[in-house]
Amino acid sequence: MATPLPSIIFHSGPIFDGHRLLEPGLAVGIRDGRVVALDTTDAVRAELPGVEEFDLAGRLLHPGFTDAHIHALSAGVDRNACDLTSAESEQQALQLVADYAARTDSEWIVGSGWTMAHFAGGCPTAASLDTVVADRPVFVMNRDHHGAWVNTRAMELAGITADTPDPADGRIERDADGVATGTLHEGAMDLVSRILPASTFAEQIAGLVTAQQLLHSYGITGWQEAIVGDYPGMADLASAYAQHESDGLLTAAVVGASWLPRPTTVGDVADVVAEFVRRKDAAAGGRWSMHSVKIMVDGVVENKTALMDEPYCGECACAPTGHGLAYFDPKVLAEAVIACDAAGLDVHFHAIGDGAVKVALDAVEAARIANGITGGRHHIAHLQLVAPADVPRFARLGVTVNMQALWACNDEQMIDLVLPVVGEQRYQWHYPFASLAATGAHLAMGSDWPVSTPDPWHAISVAVNRMPPGEDVEALLPAESLDVATALAAYTSGSAWINRRTGSGEIRIGANADLVVADRNPFEQPLTELWQTGTDLTVADGVIVYERTEQ
């Protein structure tokens, strides 16, 4: 249960103010949910005589994390459904599906969380899924929600046959005879997702409760819900957030990003953006707002739907084109961004391939030319491959680098599924965080949960070490690593700025009491142990929302 933080002094530990580690010996005083003092311990005690004290005992005090790119509510719903995120192999994933099916009488088995690297070519089959559930349809999305694994019964109900054409924005995985094998990429997921029973409002609220509790336990006090709208496997989440706030139960500060539908044309832009503005005005609450717009420019590298300037390496007959997929014509994309920017909406791009990053930057440049310099806080998420020529454009155009840093390492998926299709030259363009920071670009950070863990310290560890947490492998382009302070600033003040959360993401006089007490001082730990940092206390806007009860 959330409990108001009393007037209190935090002392005897290091303080990170959202930008830098402050000099030793300082203390922070809180009153009425605000930071009212930041000075030496004796000075703060003199200003707040007789109030409670919290001895940090050497532990770090820092602002609450803001996750700049996450699918929290749907991750919570999935966590309460058929959750495959713990599977470490195909057999474990199948066992989890079987176990879930055994304990539910639901008409459909729905969930998410499988990992592409656990399957040959990154593509699981209906034949294997049929061995555990054949009598009911199964639809489970992968970790990144860019593909779905379905069984034969699901394809039968959806009418998928060898004659079913690939949609313009997706691909049906097929065998040599053209028969669908059980993996649906990108827009092809709609062939099945459109006949799924909709998640109930009660399930959405339960998912939000689950997600909020978990995120607070990681020190996260705010986030940007990266898709709010109709998307395969996801319901429109706005009503659940609005209701949770109305009920006084939303303790996080959340921004919803309205989904730009892929069929949007130039002629549709004015009406679509007008609806975004209506949603923004309707959601202007204290903790739930919708001033962002999500535009998915491309797909992902592993299934060759990420947009590349040059073709993928090797045979690309399995992809619609050798360059991947562009979900919007460049003119449509530019017109949409110009209209959003003019309407005071922040654009949140998904861009994975170097081609997608380029056209996203081109669209912002078009908006800057059309509208001049506005207050738009536009940002590009993921940024897996950035061509060197585009690196300086972020700072020049005022585009924030929205990093999902946990992926910036030589893990199994990168080595087995990415390197073979992008080649050695483009592999050197992966996640150029240090190069982008050196240009003066604004940095933010998020997790993309449930694609990966929402634990910020795991992501910070990879941003610093460029290797998977707890593993001793070759670092991915170590020259692109960030220092701890830069990574922590991105996940606190950097992301809070993206969310327009004035007074959060920083520890300064007048700021909200969005505070976290870590379980150690990570600045004094070996860099390879950063990922082990945990949270002892989370305070969101002056309310205690998490307190560790067991060590």
Side-chain angles (χ1 to χ4, degrees), residues 135-150:
D135 60 329
R136 285 180 284 174
V138 180
F139 178 92
V140 283
M141 301 181 77
N142 67 10
R143 283 176 179 265
D144 61 23
H145 283 207
H146 287 266
W149 182 15
V150 295

Side-chain angles (χ1 to χ4, degrees), residues 15-220:
I15 299 168
F16 182 83
D17 71 354
H19 303 280
R20 64 193 182 282
L21 191 64
L22 300 182
E23 62 188 78
L26 298 183
V28 174
I30 308 295
R31 183 171 55 209
D32 298 327
R34 295 272 180 177
V35 178
V36 296
L38 176 56
D39 207 328
T40 65
T41 303
D42 288 342
V44 173
R45 282 174 174 154
E47 187 168 345
L48 296 172
V51 304
E52 289 189 30
E53 296 193 7
F54 189 109
D55 187 348
L56 293 167
R59 295 169 292 176
L60 178 69
L61 179 71
H62 66 82
F65 292 112
T66 295
D67 192 312
H69 183 103
I70 193 171
H71 307 282
L73 192 150
S74 60
V77 171
D78 290 350
R79 193 177 178 91
N80 295 337
C82 185
D83 181 12
L84 307 186
T85 55
S86 64
E88 296 183 357
S89 67
E90 177 178 2
Q91 286 306 311
Q92 287 186 16
L94 287 168
Q95 187 61 54
L96 288 170
V97 173
D99 292 345
Y100 180 78
R103 63 177 185 267
T104 182
D105 58 1
S106 297
E107 177 186 356
W108 280 74
I109 306 302
V110 178
S112 70
W114 54 272
T115 299
M116 295 178 73
H118 298 161
F119 303 88
C123 298
T125 66
S128 66
L129 201 48
D130 291 343
T131 64
V132 294
V133 182
D135 60 329
R136 285 180 284 174
V138 180
F139 178 92
V140 283
M141 301 181 77
N142 67 10
R143 283 176 179 265
D144 61 23
H145 283 207
H146 287 266
W149 182 15
V150 295
N151 67 352
T152 299
R153 182 60 180 149
M155 290 192 289
E156 289 173 349
L157 291 173
I160 297 174
T161 69
D163 297 325
T164 303
D166 288 343
D169 61 345
R171 187 176 82 251
I172 301 169
E173 198 69 29
R174 307 172 190 267
D175 64 16
D177 297 322
V179 176
T181 56
T183 299
L184 306 175
H185 301 290
E186 302 294 342
M189 294 186 289
D190 289 339
L191 299 172
V192 174
S193 68
R194 66 191 178 197
I195 63 173
L196 290 176
S199 60
T200 67
F201 191 71
E203 288 171 337
Q204 292 182 33
I205 292 294
L208 180 51
V209 169
T210 295
Q212 184 170 253
Q213 289 174 343
L214 180 68
L215 296 175
H216 283 333
S217 76
Y218 288 125
I220 297 167

Side-chain angles (χ1 to χ4, degrees), residues 424-504:
E424 289 288 350
Q425 178 182 0
R426 282 184 296 205
Y427 206 72
Q428 306 305 307
W429 299 354
H430 265 103
Y431 305 110
F433 299 155
S435 294
L436 288 160
T439 68
H442 185 87
L443 305 182
M445 200 178 289
S447 67
D448 207 10
W449 184 53
V451 178
S452 52
T453 174
D455 187 338
W457 285 107
H458 281 230
I460 290 170
S461 175
V462 179
V464 171
N465 295 295
R466 305 284 290 198
M467 62 181 67
E471 296 185 25
D472 184 14
V473 300
E474 181 181 358
L476 172 66
L477 308 175
E480 294 295 350
S481 65
L482 301 176
D483 59 71
V484 178
T486 300
L488 184 53
Y491 228 131
T492 53
S493 62
S495 294
W497 185 84
I498 283 295
N499 266 14
R500 297 182 178 269
R501 186 65 178 163
T502 303
S504 294

Side-chain angles (χ1 to χ4, degrees), residues 357-383:
V357 173
K358 181 179 186 298
V359 297
L361 290 168
D362 289 346
V364 175
E365 186 165 14
R368 299 300 190 213
I369 292 170
N371 302 330
I373 302 301
T374 65
R377 299 183 183 183
H378 310 312
H379 46 119
I380 302 179
H382 308 327
L383 302 163

